[in-house]
Amino acid sequence: MTAAGEAVLQVLWGASPCVNSFDRCLNISSSGVSFKFNVKYAKNKGTGYAELHNGLKSRWRVCAFHGVDRDSHGKTGCNRLKSGCCKCRRIESIDGLTVDNGRQPSFPNKSESNEPNVQDFKLDRQLKNGKAGISSNDKLNASGSITNTVHKVWAKSVEDEAWDLLRESIVYYCGNPVGTIAANDPNDSTILNYDQVFIRDFIPSGIAFLLKGEYDIVRNFILHTLQLQSWEKTMDCHSPGQGLMPASFKVRTVPLDGDDSATEEVLDPDFGEAAIGRVAPVDSGLWWIILLRAYGKCSGDLSVQERVDVQTGIKMILKLCLADGFDMFPTLLVTDGSCMIDRRMGIHGHPLEIQALFYSALLSAREMLTPEDGSADLIRALNNRLVALSFHIREYYWIDMKKLNEIYRYKTEEYSYDAVNKFNIYPDQIPPWLVEFMPHIGGYLIGNLQPAHMDFRFFSLGNLWSVVSSLATVDQSHAILDLIEAKWAELVADMPLKICYPALEGQEWRIITGSDPKNTYFPGLITMEVLGQLCSGRLVTMLTVACIKMNRVEIAEKAVKLAERHISGDKWPEYYDTKRGRFIGKQSRLYQTWSIAGYLVAKLLLDNPAAAKVLVTEEDSELVNAFSCMISASPRRRKRGRKKQTFIV
């Protein structure tokens, strides 16, 4: 037996390995160690369980349990041990490991008694007495090799489970797939609207199917939601703009007119008139444009975006977003709850997430719009807005240690055209937590900016999508990732990635969230967080894309490995509670589709980083030139009455 093989045995069984504690699932040859796992999940074929147990009893073993019924995905570990089966899927063969019963990977034993397998295993008796003479380096190398092998096998089984769950969440309309429901927990009796297809929630699902080469569901989703755009939208006798996309839709079966014996399927959209809080979804149309571009780039099918009805849909969304109003800023003005989680988070005004999606949608639309006489004015307005928006966000939303020092010394009540403190920000607004939080290297884009108000909270989605869409400069993009690395314990902790940091506390939480119990760690406690973490759904997807774009993949790999340690065992929750994300959210839905799909997209992109191009938009050289012109023009120095300068790309 080689030194490496002996080292493996030493690592597995310690100084005195037990010859009689091997299982036939594990094969160790005389020339080394080879794990033979072949776990295959068979859809809708009973239940099964395969896990690897790290020896509290000084042995490693793979055990397979076969159930007889297909119940919900996972009971408690105790129930599995008592009944000898797991409520997941039947295992046909073994090639992966699943963990679904807690925070630390733990694995039940098949039996306390085992028969020796002399044919499979021939051990030197010296090992029993610990006299193999194995070097510490051999032990470390063997231990690391086994750990990597086990992790790969385990991760593969988590991926297989995730794909099964994602496909089970697919919604069909007239026999064709059109989307995925928000959550698919068979044990939850309070469905609310989690059985609907949400535009924003389908984005990670759609990207996962695109990367897998399954284009039909995304194409159907794009075209059917486009049809819903033109539906009449009224609440209390008021109708919003025609370009508004629905927040969600549901497939309903209704009787045919005049024939009670026959039925038909219809799509029932919700534009916010039935949503919690009755808020119209501003982000739905922006996500729709982004997904449309990704579909064309991934599938190569440009015929969809060139269709007349699709071109009209893009223009209607742009006209709604570019419409003139009372605002002096190029950013979109929205109400609270109009994006993200449909709940009050204190983001009314000009939240970063909407601005990043707006910028990305403008770039995507400009790329897809067909040149024609009727769209010339729209494209001109689009280009002007891109320049102004990028300047505004990069100049006024950015904060790092240097900018924080500048704000600390701001003069207030400046009435002039060359004012430094344009928005009349009082230095006393700088919160104490920010002074301790801000690292010397790194920075980020603040959450919101309005007259006399800066929301200094770190919003993950807005910052990461600013990197992906090139709304942030190259230096700013690297600084954002530097910040995430430097403040890993605060922003990531035990389950990536927090949607915003820091937590709101006490009276501030009550005022800003309206005492919403779903926007807390635990209702009634002093420290409360605005939906602290969305497990590993959209946020880990965006972190992965951002890291790939900036050639810093190791950050995303670390986050994904952290997530897959627990997310399957925790039954793919909607979000986590507590500062470190150690508790499943008190009102969190299980088998949340965005958690499942987000994990899959991250894994697919890490396996094939080049595929991230379907989401990434590179910085436009023409926009960079126009941006430089705006800086050199020094708007602060303009004199009253001087003609306003316009930059056209």
Side-chain angles (χ1 to χ4, degrees):
M1 180 177 290
T2 63
E6 294 178 351
V8 170
L9 295 178
Q10 288 280 21
V11 171
L12 293 179
W13 292 283
S16 61
C18 178
V19 178
N20 295 332
S21 64
F22 292 99
D23 208 339
R24 289 180 182 269
C25 300
L26 187 62
N27 177 32
I28 301 182
S29 64
S30 61
S31 61
V33 177
S34 63
F35 289 88
K36 293 185 179 179
F37 300 124
N38 281 321
V39 177
K40 300 286 185 182
Y41 288 98
K43 189 174 182 181
N44 300 332
K45 288 187 178 180
T47 61
Y49 186 88
E51 294 185 335
L52 186 64
H53 179 61
N54 184 2
L56 292 175
K57 298 181 179 181
S58 300
R59 60 177 175 255
W60 287 61
R61 171 181 303 167
V62 177
C63 306
F65 294 84
H66 296 275
V68 294
D69 65 329
R70 183 181 180 276
D71 201 341
S72 61
H73 300 283
K75 300 292 185 182
T76 63
C78 295
N79 290 338
R80 276 199 301 270
L81 290 174
K82 291 179 181 178
S83 63
C85 68
C86 147
K87 307 301 183 182
C88 294
R89 287 174 172 75
R90 181 177 302 278
I91 297 177
E92 302 296 338
S93 56
I94 299 176
D95 87 338
L97 306 171
T98 61
V99 181
D100 59 2
N101 65 336
R103 302 299 295 164
Q104 292 297 330
S106 60
F107 307 94
N109 292 329
K110 182 178 180 180
S111 172
E112 290 302 319
S113 63
N114 292 277
E115 297 180 0
N117 189 342
V118 180
Q119 293 179 350
D120 288 344
F121 309 103
K122 295 181 180 179
L123 298 178
D124 194 318
R125 284 191 172 276
Q126 291 182 357
L127 290 175
K128 187 173 183 179
N129 299 321
K131 298 178 180 180
I134 302 171
S135 68
S136 59
N137 287 337
D138 286 338
K139 289 184 179 181
L140 290 175
N141 293 335
S143 176
S145 177
I146 292 174
T147 301
N148 291 335
T149 302
V150 171
H151 181 269
K152 289 179 181 179
V153 173
W154 179 18
K156 182 64 169 63
S157 72
V158 174
E159 287 185 62
D160 291 340
E161 180 195 6
W163 275 114
D164 284 342
L165 292 172
L166 181 60
R167 291 195 169 96
E168 287 177 4
S169 70
I170 293 177
V171 174
Y172 292 86
Y173 173 62
C174 297
N176 298 314
V178 293
T180 54
I181 58 175
N184 190 24
D185 185 0
N187 293 328
D188 197 335
S189 58
T190 56
I191 297 176
L192 295 177
N193 58 351
Y194 282 83
D195 62 343
Q196 299 188 22
V197 180
F198 281 81
I199 305 295
R200 70 173 69 95
D201 290 9
F202 180 73
I203 300 304
S205 298
I207 299 301
F209 287 123
L210 288 177
L211 296 177
K212 199 71 171 178
E214 302 176 16
Y215 306 133
D216 288 347
I217 184 173
V218 180
R219 184 179 188 275
N220 295 336
F221 173 85
I222 290 171
L223 296 178
H224 283 298
T225 49
L226 177 65
Q227 294 175 359
L228 300 176
Q229 183 189 41
S230 60
W231 280 38
E232 182 179 353
K233 306 169 279 285
T234 303
M235 190 180 81
D236 297 335
C237 303
H238 175 72
S239 298
Q242 287 186 337
L244 183 66
M245 281 290 198
S248 63
F249 66 86
K250 184 174 182 177
V251 178
R252 298 187 185 276
T253 302
V254 298
L256 280 172
D257 293 338
D259 187 357
D260 295 337
S261 62
T263 60
E264 65 174 344
E265 290 184 338
V266 297
L267 296 179
D268 183 13
D270 176 17
F271 292 91
E273 67 269 32
I276 299 172
R278 302 299 190 269
V279 180
V282 177
D283 61 338
S284 290
L286 306 177
W287 278 122
W288 183 86
I289 292 177
I290 293 169
L291 183 63
L292 175 63
R293 173 183 179 266
Y295 170 80
K297 281 192 166 294
C298 199
S299 68
D301 178 16
L302 302 182
S303 63
V304 174
Q305 66 189 44
E306 293 172 353
R307 288 174 46 147
V308 175
D309 56 343
V310 174
Q311 289 285 312
T312 302
I314 296 174
K315 292 175 184 177
M316 289 174 65
I317 296 173
L318 292 179
K319 288 178 180 178
L320 187 63
C321 294
L322 297 174
D324 293 331
F326 292 100
D327 207 342
M328 290 292 294
F329 310 133
T331 46
L332 274 183
L333 177 63
V334 301
T335 186
D336 209 343
S338 59
C339 62
M340 206 176 301
I341 60 170
D342 294 334
R343 293 176 180 272
R344 285 180 58 186
M345 296 182 65
I347 62 171
H348 60 278
H350 308 87
L352 176 64
E353 176 185 338
I354 287 293
Q355 314 316 321
L357 293 176
F358 182 35
Y359 185 81
S360 182
L362 290 178
L363 286 176
S364 299
R366 187 179 68 170
E367 184 179 318
M368 293 185 294
L369 281 175
T370 57
E372 56 183 30
D373 295 338
S375 60
D377 292 339
L378 182 62
I379 294 177
R380 186 179 301 109
L382 185 154
N383 285 326
N384 286 335
R385 193 63 166 264
L386 279 171
V387 175
L389 180 61
S390 61
F391 176 84
H392 187 85
I393 296 296
R394 295 173 179 181
E395 185 77 4
Y396 304 124
Y397 276 61
W398 180 253
I399 188 168
D400 53 13
M401 185 58 75
K402 179 181 178 181
K403 185 64 179 289
L404 190 59
N405 270 284
E406 182 182 329
I407 296 173
Y408 183 73
R409 296 174 56 83
Y410 264 171
K411 294 180 180 179
T412 58
E413 308 297 333
E414 291 183 289
Y415 182 78
S416 65
Y417 290 97
D418 58 353
V420 175
N421 186 4
K422 281 190 170 185
F423 300 94
N424 199 33
I425 303 299
Y426 284 84
D428 290 345
Q429 286 189 29
I430 299 176
W433 66 263
L434 182 59
V435 179
E436 301 298 327
F437 176 77
M438 183 62 69
H440 290 286
I441 299 177
Y444 65 98
L445 298 167
I446 62 173
N448 211 330
L449 176 63
Q450 299 185 72
H453 173 69
M454 296 181 80
D455 185 349
F456 290 101
R457 287 179 293 173
F458 176 87
F459 285 86
S460 299
L461 196 154
N463 273 276
L464 292 174
W465 202 255
S466 296
V467 175
V468 173
S469 64
S470 297
L471 176 58
T473 65
V474 174
D475 290 340
Q476 289 174 347
S477 297
H478 279 295
I480 290 171
L481 297 182
D482 288 338
L483 178 85
I484 293 175
E485 277 195 306
K487 296 298 177 179
W488 190 265
E490 290 86 353
L491 301 178
V492 180
D494 288 344
M495 180 55 70
L497 180 65
K498 290 186 180 180
I499 195 171
C500 85
Y501 178 87
L504 297 176
E505 300 180 3
Q507 190 66 16
E508 185 182 24
W509 165 78
R510 295 183 181 90
I511 293 173
I512 291 181
T513 72
S515 299
D516 184 352
K518 199 166 184 177
N519 282 356
T520 68
Y521 283 145
F522 301 103
L525 295 186
I526 296 175
T527 302
M528 302 178 182
E529 177 150 15
V530 180
L531 202 59
Q533 299 187 343
L534 290 178
C535 53
S536 66
R538 290 173 289 179
L539 298 182
V540 168
T541 296
M542 294 173 190
L543 175 63
T544 304
V545 179
C547 291
I548 290 174
K549 180 187 176 184
M550 305 310 298
N551 294 318
R552 300 177 66 172
V553 183
E554 68 281 355
I555 301 176
E557 289 176 340
K558 181 180 177 182
V560 171
K561 286 182 180 179
L562 186 63
E564 65 188 0
R565 282 167 45 193
H566 307 305
I567 192 168
S568 175
D570 292 342
K571 303 175 185 177
W572 308 92
E574 181 180 9
Y575 66 95
Y576 286 84
D577 281 337
T578 72
K579 287 185 176 181
R580 296 194 60 85
R582 302 183 67 182
F583 284 18
I584 298 172
K586 200 168 188 179
Q587 296 193 25
S588 173
R589 298 290 171 138
L590 301 181
Y591 301 104
Q592 184 80 14
T593 304
W594 76 39
S595 300
I596 297 166
Y599 166 76
L600 288 173
V601 172
K603 294 292 288 186
L604 289 168
L605 290 177
L606 289 176
D607 290 340
N608 181 21
K613 65 182 180 182
V614 302
L615 293 173
V616 169
T617 50
E618 298 295 342
E619 195 167 32
D620 192 307
S621 59
E622 294 180 342
L623 286 178
V624 172
N625 293 335
F627 183 76
S628 301
C629 292
M630 290 193 69
I631 295 177
S632 62
S634 301
R636 297 177 182 177
R637 300 175 183 175
R638 292 176 186 158
K639 300 299 181 181
R640 188 177 183 87
R642 183 177 176 180
K643 185 178 179 180
K644 184 178 178 181
Q645 188 173 0
T646 302
F647 297 94
I648 301 174
V649 180

